[in-house]
Amino acid sequence: MSETMKTDGDPVIEITDLHVAFDGRAVLRGVRLTVAAGGPTVLVGRSGTGKTTLLRAMNRLNECLPGCATRGSVRLRLGGEWRDVYAPGLRPEELRRRVGMVFQSPNPLPVSIGRNMTMPLELALRLPAAEWSGRAEQALREAGLWDEVRDRLNQPAAALSGGQQQRLCLARALACRPEFLLLDEPTASLDYKAARGVEDLLLELAEKYTLVVVSHSLNQARRLARRMHVLREGGQVEAVEPEALADKDRLLAFMDELM
Ligand SMILES: Nc1ncnc2c1ncn2[C@@H]1O[C@H](COP(=O)(O)OP(=O)(O)OP(=O)(O)O)[C@@H](O)[C@H]1O
Ligand SMILES: [Mg+2]
């Protein structure tokens, strides 16, 4: 087993006493959460409880938002080692490459499909141009998009369907060879069929990457979740028992209470 391989069930994210505030208003107060390797972990909770904020704390994206203050500990198992993401020594840009994020609405850059893929390789990873196309193709294949775009890499990314755009965003994150993928309601803006396509893809990707998925959908949680946590107002996190995950009625009652 390689250094970086994780055994199913081993903790890979440990968050303790995490506080996040915007303009002095506390959003997360003392979050404690452990995420284990193996299968997507789904995070649910009422609107406004701070799920997006919690994901953004894992790759320090909150720091890009004005008025945001964070304290506490977020530790990730990166490259086989525990790293405190807020400690000096791990640059935020490096962290965000290794902990990729996909957002609720597809956000391709207003350039071609191909350039969406090569820009991070050039600007974030500073790879030589000779390596771009191979990496881009590999990531597009992994995102199940290669056959659909191989003949139109020069076309604007905006010309793709919503589901294709979201898979392009996934491919863009994969091109940086991340270890974690944070997905914030990744199918919220897609129709049923496109959403199912992305869900199937996420299940495949979960074999290789640690996935944390925020979802509002009962059906999606049932299809995706190996593990599930609920974020309550103020930042208390509860793990959902595996038996509740397997029982549709219990899960429905549970999700109902959250909506
Ligand atoms: N950039 C920001 N500036 C100021 N306040 C923010 C910012 N981002 C989030 N907040 C506040 O933090 C709180 C939690 O927001 P967040 O988006 O994390 O919730 P959420 O659980 O993801 O909600 P939803 O399910 O609706 O997406 C909200 O009160 C929101 O107004
Ligand atoms: Mg959100």
Side-chain angles (χ1 to χ4, degrees):
M1 196 184 287
S2 86
E3 247 275 90
T4 53
M5 285 282 277
K6 292 141 187 160
T7 310
D8 197 357
D10 280 355
V12 285
I13 302 177
E14 297 248 61
I15 296 177
T16 39
D17 206 24
L18 175 72
H19 294 254
V20 181
F22 288 99
D23 302 314
R25 194 176 66 84
V27 173
L28 298 176
R29 278 167 295 182
V31 170
R32 174 177 288 276
L33 167 68
T34 301
V35 173
T41 290
V42 171
L43 182 65
V44 298
R46 288 211 175 104
S47 178
T49 47
K51 301 177 297 299
T52 298
T53 303
L54 180 54
L55 285 191
R56 286 191 308 234
M58 296 179 198
N59 69 353
R60 295 183 60 171
L61 260 189
N62 283 324
E63 284 163 50
C64 302
L65 304 171
C68 184
T70 302
R71 67 185 166 84
S73 161
V74 176
R75 295 168 72 238
L76 303 182
R77 209 161 155 78
L78 282 169
E81 270 177 51
W82 280 105
R83 304 286 297 267
D84 182 339
V85 306
Y86 291 103
L90 183 59
R91 287 179 306 112
E93 300 74 27
E94 163 79 359
L95 173 69
R96 288 174 203 140
R97 180 187 72 70
R98 296 170 81 170
V99 184
M101 188 155 176
V102 172
F103 301 87
Q104 181 167 354
S105 305
N107 61 346
L109 299 164
V111 290
S112 70
I113 296 166
R115 196 67 189 123
N116 262 276
M117 295 300 298
T118 57
M119 264 170 96
L121 302 180
E122 178 182 1
L123 302 176
L125 300 193
R126 303 195 182 283
L127 289 181
E131 290 183 30
W132 297 351
S133 64
R135 272 250 197 165
E137 176 179 336
Q138 190 186 20
L140 285 165
R141 284 188 188 280
E142 219 180 336
L145 194 59
W146 176 247
D147 289 339
E148 289 156 76
V149 301
R150 61 190 302 166
D151 298 326
R152 51 192 291 208
L153 292 171
N154 292 326
Q155 286 181 13
L160 295 171
S161 73
Q164 287 172 326
Q165 288 188 24
Q166 197 59 314
R167 281 182 286 137
L168 179 65
C169 294
L170 262 170
R172 193 173 58 188
L174 294 172
C176 292
R177 309 222 167 126
E179 293 168 58
F180 292 82
L181 282 174
L182 310 175
L183 302 121
D184 192 5
E185 299 185 54
T187 63
S189 65
L190 306 182
D191 66 26
Y192 176 77
K193 208 164 161 217
R196 285 300 289 260
V198 169
E199 286 168 4
D200 289 344
L201 178 61
L202 295 182
L203 286 171
E204 274 173 41
L205 293 174
E207 311 261 314
K208 201 163 155 198
Y209 306 94
T210 299
L211 263 56
V212 183
V213 187
V214 169
S215 179
H216 274 295
S217 146
L218 167 73
N219 285 327
Q220 180 163 77
R222 286 188 69 220
R223 276 196 292 272
L224 289 186
R226 271 287 300 284
R227 300 181 176 82
M228 192 159 122
H229 298 271
V230 187
L231 178 62
R232 304 280 183 193
E233 211 82 42
Q236 204 196 332
V237 181
E238 267 169 47
V240 177
E241 295 166 37
E243 304 80 62
L245 257 187
D247 179 337
K248 186 176 179 191
D249 292 333
R250 269 182 82 183
L251 197 56
L252 183 61
F254 193 83
M255 297 288 280
D256 251 3
E257 181 236 324
L258 291 177
M259 301 304 155

